[in-house]
Amino acid sequence: MLLRLEQKTANNPEGVYSPAQRILTGGLLVFYGLVILTGAIALSRNLAQAASPFFLDGFIYNFINFRYLNPFSDYFPLQDIALFGGAIALATYLIPRFHSHQHIHSSITLPLIASQGLLVLYALAQKVLGIGFLRSGAERGVNSFLPDIHAYGGYMLIGCFLGLYYLEKREGKWSDRRFAFSLLGLSSLGVLLSGSRFSIGLLFLVLLVRLLWNESFSLRQRLIYSAAGLLGAWAIAGLLSVALPNLKLLSPGKIFQAQSFQDVNIALSYRPEIFQSSLKMFSSYPWLGIGKGEFYRQSSIGDFSESFFFSRQHRGENAHNYFLQILTEMGIIGFASFAFIFIYKYWVYQSTSEAIWVMLLGIAAGNLYGHSLLLPNILFLAFILIGAGNGPDVPVPPVFQRLRLPRAPKTWILSVGGLAALLGVAGVEVAGAYERVPFRSEYACHRFAFYPDGQTGGIFEQEFRAGSRFLVAEYRVHHSHVRQHPLELSWAIAQKGRTIQQVTQTLYRRGHYQQILDLSALRPRSKFTLTLKATPCFTPLNAGDSLDMRRLGVQLLEIRQQPTPLVKQESGSA
């Protein structure tokens, strides 16, 4: 969505913040500070987990290319830091400048409605013609221009909420009920096309609540209509699940036939297991979380997530509830800061920017069972809505007017002591994480890693047959960082689980090297295993999980057997 910010449409070109706007801006900046903090913690833990040192040039390279980082890269937290930085900078810019209803309608609401129509048209084409990108396993629905059905269904809920809101309007051209019904019908069609069961169910629930909200209904009528609506929806879901099995709605039979947690878990698309595992991970690091951007990477470790879905069925996944993911990644402190922004927005500006709040509510609803806020365009839309519609004439809430720096010594002691205790607990949590699951190096370091050109840096293992008395390995160290971070190589010859010979060496210079190992203890033609273990291991590079493509670790040039030992020659350069 393009947001027109020309000077002529700005409501406050000078950008002067009112007292109430300063509090919202301060909340955004505090939250971004916590994003940076938890992102830095996540980056540090990733490097410790991979037994890799920090290099400034590698950091700069990955920061420049943050768009291409995958969720398992050591430097993936940089992506969240950059995206939230851009979104929050845009929101803080809009807060004092963009708040008239006319400009909100022309620059936000109308483009959003147009995008809803475009998405529905393409979804119809996908459904009828089978064109476009259809996510694997999503036969029951289509995703339009979004990555998957849940993101698409969640996005269409924004239009549903907005349509219901306009049905309540009684003045101006935006009260045109035909327009409101058209928007509601269009967006509802999009939700149905998505096939997202939660979005469909939530839409029905909201429509039912809206119907029962009619003040002309008596309590008895509301109860009757509620029961009839729920039974009717359940019956329709059961009929559709039989007539259209590809739709895969949650039929009544699945609930009644469930005999265990796993049955319910499968019927609800593994959400119970996902939410349970997310809360378990949160409980391990409750104050500052596991680190911003870490959910995919750390949930893939079964010892930590204790989830078959995360660790075995998928190689890590998201929490399928954005707010739960924020809680797990940023802990209580980060989540409280994130929640403050939305609570304050509603508390102070709900009456002056109702349409903005309704759209934010639609985005939030789509992320209770999904994850559309993980998409940069939806994230930016949410922060645009936070930044828009904050009028300068709204007074500061009384509770903030009463806040003052404490004057009494006792109050100072309690305040400073409480803050120090909170920082101390959070600091202990961060400091102790490096020796706890899942941030120990055993979970991401020293795994088999080998490139076709012989480059390796984790564990290299290969089986041979003894054909001569000595084994000679020639290899090269390319990177100059070995000066600051010596490279320790552990060579081992093993047979049937028993170590025959083990040699450890530490390298301080780059260059060409040879390693000679004695095979005289082995019987001729017997099988043995050669293992090379490098520390630091640089596994993210060798596993293809980093954009830092320097030739780290070592490059094995040749492994051969010969009857006599060669003089070990080291041509390492200073």
Side-chain angles (χ1 to χ4, degrees):
M1 181 195 304
L2 295 178
L3 183 66
R4 299 198 297 271
L5 291 174
E6 294 91 340
Q7 189 76 10
K8 63 181 181 180
T9 64
N11 310 126
N12 182 5
E14 295 77 19
V16 178
Y17 293 81
S18 69
Q21 291 172 343
R22 290 194 194 105
I23 295 175
L24 180 58
T25 304
L28 286 166
L29 295 178
V30 168
F31 173 68
Y32 185 57
L34 290 170
V35 169
I36 295 176
L37 175 63
T38 55
I41 291 171
L43 176 58
S44 172
R45 288 171 173 172
N46 286 346
L47 292 174
Q49 191 180 50
S52 297
F54 174 82
F55 298 120
L56 181 60
D57 47 354
F59 174 87
I60 294 173
Y61 180 87
N62 281 273
F63 187 76
I64 293 172
N65 294 279
F66 74 88
R67 291 180 57 211
Y68 307 104
L69 295 172
N70 73 68
F72 297 92
S73 169
D74 286 349
Y75 290 92
F76 182 73
L78 294 178
Q79 188 172 104
D80 273 8
I81 291 174
L83 290 176
F84 275 94
I88 290 174
L90 180 57
T92 55
Y93 177 83
L94 293 176
I95 284 174
R97 296 175 172 85
F98 209 81
H99 42 74
S100 80
H101 293 290
Q102 178 183 357
H103 294 133
I104 289 171
H105 286 318
S106 62
S107 298
I108 297 179
T109 310
L110 283 178
L112 184 141
I113 294 171
S115 71
Q116 295 259 317
L118 181 62
L119 287 169
V120 171
L121 287 175
Y122 185 62
L124 280 170
Q126 280 186 301
K127 194 71 174 179
V128 175
L129 303 176
I131 64 174
F133 170 67
L134 297 173
R135 186 175 66 87
S136 175
E139 298 85 357
R140 65 179 182 272
V142 295
N143 58 289
S144 191
F145 289 111
L146 281 82
D148 61 35
I149 63 173
H150 303 295
Y152 171 54
Y155 184 78
M156 298 311 296
L157 283 174
I158 305 174
C160 297
F161 277 60
L162 198 59
L164 285 171
Y165 164 72
Y166 286 139
L167 283 175
E168 300 295 327
K169 299 291 287 183
R170 293 293 184 267
E171 55 184 86
K173 64 179 182 179
W174 292 99
S175 64
D176 187 344
R177 300 181 71 82
R178 289 175 298 176
F179 170 82
F181 274 118
S182 299
L183 174 59
L184 178 60
L186 180 71
S187 299
S188 299
L189 175 60
V191 171
L192 293 173
L193 287 172
S194 75
S196 171
R197 293 177 294 179
F198 176 78
S199 298
I200 295 172
L202 182 62
L203 173 61
F204 172 80
L205 181 61
V206 170
L207 291 174
L208 182 62
V209 170
R210 166 64 183 84
L211 175 65
L212 299 178
W213 201 258
N214 193 323
E215 296 179 357
S216 63
F217 287 167
S218 65
L219 177 60
R220 180 183 177 186
Q221 287 175 313
R222 293 181 183 182
L223 291 175
I224 292 174
Y225 289 145
S226 297
L230 291 173
L231 290 174
W234 208 332
I236 292 172
L239 291 173
L240 287 177
S241 65
V242 175
L244 301 172
N246 283 340
L247 196 59
K248 297 181 180 178
L249 290 173
L250 185 60
S251 65
K254 289 185 178 179
I255 296 296
F256 291 130
Q257 294 170 8
Q259 298 179 355
S260 65
F261 172 82
Q262 188 60 20
D263 291 340
V264 176
N265 189 39
I266 295 173
L268 295 176
S269 301
Y270 294 94
R271 293 304 193 275
E273 178 184 341
I274 292 171
F275 296 160
Q276 182 185 56
S277 177
S278 301
L279 290 172
K280 185 268 171 188
M281 291 188 287
F282 156 73
S283 66
S284 298
Y285 299 93
W287 295 106
L288 285 172
I290 62 175
K292 194 72 187 77
E294 286 290 271
F295 199 96
Y296 272 83
R297 175 167 169 155
Q298 308 309 336
S299 67
S300 67
I301 299 174
D303 288 350
F304 183 52
S305 65
E306 297 181 2
S307 166
F308 179 85
F309 177 87
F310 282 138
S311 62
R312 301 290 295 278
Q313 190 168 340
H314 298 269
R315 189 194 172 196
E317 254 290 353
N318 64 77
H320 291 75
N321 179 308
Y322 189 77
F323 308 103
L324 182 57
Q325 185 152 331
I326 287 287
L327 178 66
T328 305
E329 290 187 338
M330 300 184 68
I332 295 172
I333 297 174
F335 181 81
S337 174
F338 182 70
F340 170 83
I341 297 169
F342 291 89
I343 294 172
Y344 183 85
K345 174 79 175 179
Y346 175 80
W347 187 7
V348 179
Y349 295 105
Q350 185 267 342
S351 60
T352 60
S353 56
E354 291 180 342
I356 292 289
W357 177 249
V358 168
M359 286 186 277
L360 279 172
L361 191 61
I363 293 176
N367 281 272
L368 293 174
Y369 211 70
H371 44 267
S372 62
L373 279 172
L374 291 175
L375 307 178
N377 51 342
I378 309 297
L379 180 71
F380 269 76
L381 173 60
F383 278 94
I384 286 172
L385 294 174
I386 289 172
N390 306 295
D393 300 327
V394 177
V396 177
V399 66
F400 288 97
Q401 295 178 2
R402 293 193 295 267
L403 289 179
R404 296 288 186 274
L405 289 175
R407 297 181 179 179
K410 184 178 180 180
T411 307
W412 265 105
I413 293 173
L414 291 175
S415 301
V416 174
L419 180 61
L422 178 62
L423 294 176
V425 170
V428 170
E429 175 184 279
V430 173
Y434 299 95
E435 300 301 324
R436 297 174 56 199
V437 177
F439 301 111
R440 298 198 298 263
S441 61
E442 66 192 77
Y443 291 106
C445 185
H446 295 145
R447 297 180 179 178
F448 179 80
F450 188 67
Y451 278 133
D453 65 353
Q455 195 74 21
T456 184
I459 282 185
F460 167 78
E461 287 184 341
Q462 187 169 335
E463 191 173 73
F464 298 88
R465 285 189 180 274
S468 194
R469 185 173 178 181
F470 296 97
L471 183 143
V472 178
E474 294 195 28
Y475 61 96
R476 178 173 291 277
V477 177
H478 291 275
H479 60 97
S480 59
H481 297 294
V482 72
R483 296 177 179 177
Q484 294 81 27
H485 304 278
L487 184 62
E488 182 180 289
L489 300 181
S490 177
W491 302 84
I493 298 290
Q495 190 175 61
K496 297 180 180 180
R498 184 171 62 93
T499 301
I500 305 300
Q501 184 182 9
Q502 185 168 358
V503 177
T504 300
Q505 60 182 145
T506 303
L507 306 181
Y508 299 90
R509 299 178 298 174
R510 61 181 179 178
H512 184 276
Y513 293 89
Q514 292 179 340
Q515 178 63 50
I516 302 175
L517 298 170
D518 190 352
L519 305 179
S520 59
L522 303 177
R523 291 187 305 171
R525 304 297 299 167
S526 63
K527 292 182 179 180
F528 69 93
T529 301
L530 170 67
T531 301
L532 168 61
K533 180 178 178 181
T535 304
C537 68
F538 306 110
T539 301
L541 166 72
N542 291 283
D545 288 339
S546 173
L547 293 175
D548 186 355
M549 297 306 293
R550 294 169 298 164
R551 296 170 70 81
L552 304 174
V554 300
Q555 181 185 18
L556 291 172
L557 302 174
E558 182 182 7
I559 300 176
R560 64 180 185 272
Q561 297 182 48
Q562 57 190 40
T564 58
L566 297 178
V567 177
K568 186 176 180 181
Q569 298 176 350
E570 296 185 2
S571 57
S573 59

